Amino acid sequence: MHETIPAHGGELIDLTVRGDEREALRERAAGLPALRLNPRTVSDLELLGNGGFSPLKGFMGRVDYDPVVESMRLASGLPWSIPVTLAVSREEAKGLREGSEVALADEAGNVLAVMALAEQFDYDKRREARNVYRTEDEAHPGVAALYRQGDVLLGGGVRVIDLPPHDDFPPYRLTPAQTRAAFAERGWRTVVGFQTRNPVHRAHEYIQKCALEVVDGLLLHPLVGETKEDDIPAETRLRCYQVLLDGYYPKDRVILSVLPAAMRYAGPREAIFHALIRKNYGCTHFIVGRDHAGVGKYYGTFDAHVIFREFAPDELGISPLFFDHAFYCRRCQSMATTKTCPHGPEERVTLSGTRVREMLQRIELPPPEYSRREVAEILLQWANTDQYRI
Ligand SMILES: [Zn+2]
C-alpha cells in the first residue's frame, strides 16, 4: 500500500491506547483529578488523539507555544501556525501538580484521556490575539474565545482512552489513518483537500472540479466542530454535499468526510493550519480560497495566499492551490473567475451570503447559476424551520 504523502514531521501520530493498556489507564483515570474540557478543547483532543495534529503529542508547553505564537514554528523548527493549548482557571490550576497525571473529560463527564501534566504556565492573551488573529478586538469570534478561556495553560502529553463520542455523521467520521487507507485503496497518488464551513454553491463546485482536473482524488472535508452561531449547521451543509455528490460528481473520485476541528477564524494563520491538518489526513494538495477562514474585515482578501510564501514549499509538504472567487458569467456562459473571465461585474451572477439568506426567508430559490436546485431546496427547507436563527 503506497502513501500519498508522509504526515507532518514524518510520522502519523496515534495517541489512542488499546487493549489491556487501555483498561489499565481507564481504571487509573477514575482515581485522578479530572478536568472538564469545553467543546473546542475536546475537538483539539480528538485531533491530537487521531493524528490530525501530527507531530503534536499533547497540549503545548511553553517551549512550543512561544515560537508558534511568535514565528509559526514548533521548537523543532517545523511550521505550525496555531497554538494547541489547554487553558484552565487559576482556581483549577491550584489543585494540580506538575509531574502528576490529570484525567480529561468532556462536558458530560466522560473521561476521554489522561494527561501527564509537565508544566503550568502563564501567557499573554493579547500577544496571542495580536500575532495569531492579527487583532486584539474582542468582537472577533476567535479572539473572544481566547479572552474567555482560563488564564493558565497546561502543557503535557496525552494518552487517549476514547476518542470523543459522536452520534452525528457516523459514516463520515474518518480518521487520518482511515482517509489514507481509503486513498490507497483507490490508488490515488495525489489528493486535493477542500475545507469548508459554508453550504456548497456552484462557485465551490467549480473550484473543486478545476482542482480535480489535475489530481487523482478530492477529499471534501467540511469542518463540523464548533463554529459561530450564525454559520449554517453542519447537518444541513452535509445534506447539501450529499445531494451534490449524488448528482454531479464521479463517485470514484471523491470522498466526503468531516473534520472535527473547531473554527478559529484566524484567517491566514488558520489557512496554514488547515493545510497541515489535511496533509496529516493524506492530502497532497489543498485549496485555499479568497479570505480563507476569515471573518468580518479583519484580513485582506489574499492574506491567506500570501502567508504561504513565508515557508519554503518542502517545509509544508502539502501544495496549496490558490483560487479567487468564482461566479457564473453570462457572456462566457460558464463558471469563471477574474483570472479567466475578462467581462465586467454586470455580466456576473454573484450574491452575498446575506442576500441569499434574504431570498431563502422569502421562500425564493437562488438562481441556478448560483446554486444547484437540489442544494437550494435543502437550504430553503432549513431556512424555514424553527431552528433558523438569523
Ligand atoms: Zn466572462
Side-chain angles (χ1 to χ4, degrees):
M1 208 165 84
H2 75 264
E3 193 179 41
T4 49
I5 188 174
H8 197 44
E11 186 201 345
L12 186 65
I13 302 295
D14 179 357
L15 301 177
T16 55
V17 290
R18 298 180 172 83
D20 292 347
E21 196 192 348
R22 175 165 171 267
E23 284 318 308
L25 192 62
R26 186 201 295 284
E27 269 174 38
R28 205 164 72 241
L32 296 173
L35 286 173
R36 291 202 180 195
L37 310 183
N38 63 29
R40 296 168 65 89
T41 314
V42 170
S43 286
D44 285 352
L45 179 65
E46 179 166 0
L47 286 157
L48 284 169
N50 72 16
F53 284 166
S54 300
L56 304 187
K57 293 183 174 167
F59 290 100
M60 287 179 180
R62 185 182 279 290
V63 67
D64 284 316
Y65 173 82
D66 279 336
V68 165
V69 170
E70 287 296 329
S71 55
M72 295 194 285
R73 288 185 189 273
L74 296 168
S76 64
L78 266 187
W80 196 270
S81 53
I82 300 270
V84 175
T85 55
L86 172 51
V88 294
S89 66
R90 289 207 183 278
E91 207 55 37
E92 285 173 304
K94 254 183 223 157
L96 303 171
R97 261 183 318 109
E98 289 181 1
S100 68
E101 289 184 315
V102 190
L104 304 181
D106 62 15
E107 280 186 323
N110 303 306
V111 172
L112 303 173
V114 171
M115 177 179 188
L117 179 57
E119 61 175 317
Q120 309 190 8
F121 58 102
D122 289 355
Y123 65 115
D124 181 346
K125 290 183 181 179
R126 293 204 169 263
R127 179 183 70 144
E128 184 173 328
R130 224 167 30 243
N131 288 0
V132 175
Y133 297 93
R134 301 189 178 184
T135 175
E136 294 183 25
D137 184 358
E138 62 197 42
H140 183 294
V143 174
L146 169 63
Y147 289 174
R148 268 198 312 270
Q149 73 186 24
D151 292 331
V152 179
L153 296 181
L154 306 182
V158 296
R159 281 183 299 157
V160 175
I161 300 165
D162 286 310
L163 288 171
H166 297 288
D167 45 21
D168 50 355
F169 325 121
Y172 303 117
R173 295 242 174 223
L174 303 181
T175 63
Q178 289 168 332
T179 52
R180 284 168 173 273
F183 300 163
E185 205 174 284
R186 287 163 179 74
W188 295 351
R189 293 191 174 266
T190 51
V191 185
V192 65
F194 187 84
Q195 145 71 30
T196 168
R197 63 172 205 270
N198 291 315
V200 58
H201 297 299
R202 294 289 302 274
H204 308 106
E205 179 184 339
Y206 172 73
I207 286 169
Q208 290 158 10
K209 288 183 172 175
C210 282
L212 201 45
E213 292 290 354
V214 294
V215 297
D216 297 337
L218 167 66
L219 175 66
L220 283 177
H221 215 201
L223 176 148
V224 297
E226 192 174 78
T227 57
K228 294 190 278 100
E229 282 249 306
D230 59 348
D231 280 350
I232 292 184
E235 196 257 329
T236 303
R237 288 184 276 130
L238 255 284
R239 284 178 56 215
C240 292
Y241 264 112
Q242 201 51 68
V243 292
L244 195 70
L245 289 184
D246 287 346
Y248 301 94
Y249 284 65
K251 287 211 169 11
D252 55 348
R253 298 199 61 216
V254 187
I255 292 173
L256 174 62
S257 185
V258 300
L259 177 72
M263 261 320 279
R264 268 93 169 164
Y265 305 94
R269 279 221 189 196
E270 196 162 9
I272 299 284
F273 186 58
H274 282 163
L276 293 177
I277 295 171
R278 271 39 177 250
K279 177 187 179 185
N280 288 330
Y281 276 84
C283 296
T284 52
H285 295 73
F286 181 65
I287 292 170
V288 186
R290 201 166 130 131
D291 198 22
H292 185 104
V295 62
K297 299 209 182 320
Y298 293 100
Y299 309 107
T301 308
F302 296 107
D303 285 358
H305 294 181
V306 173
I307 196 169
F308 279 82
R309 295 184 202 147
E310 295 185 35
F311 300 95
D314 61 340
E315 286 189 306
L316 295 176
I318 189 165
S319 306
L321 300 178
F322 301 125
F323 282 92
D324 201 341
H325 270 326
F327 44 78
Y328 183 86
C329 170
R330 293 189 193 92
R331 288 282 296 285
C332 293
Q333 294 188 317
S334 67
M335 296 298 296
T337 73
T338 46
K339 282 175 159 176
T340 51
C341 157
H343 307 116
E346 69 286 355
E347 302 287 358
R348 298 172 184 167
V349 182
T350 54
L351 295 172
S352 69
T354 315
R355 176 93 179 87
V356 173
R357 281 159 191 254
E358 284 168 7
M359 294 179 77
L360 293 172
Q361 271 174 322
R362 288 201 306 265
I363 318 194
E364 202 180 310
L365 289 177
E369 295 87 354
Y370 180 81
S371 200
R372 298 269 186 203
R373 191 178 174 92
E374 295 90 332
V375 170
E377 279 171 355
I378 289 173
L379 292 176
L380 194 66
Q381 214 178 16
W382 163 75
N384 293 285
T385 59
D386 298 341
Q387 289 114 47
Y388 193 58
R389 282 185 302 223
I390 309 306

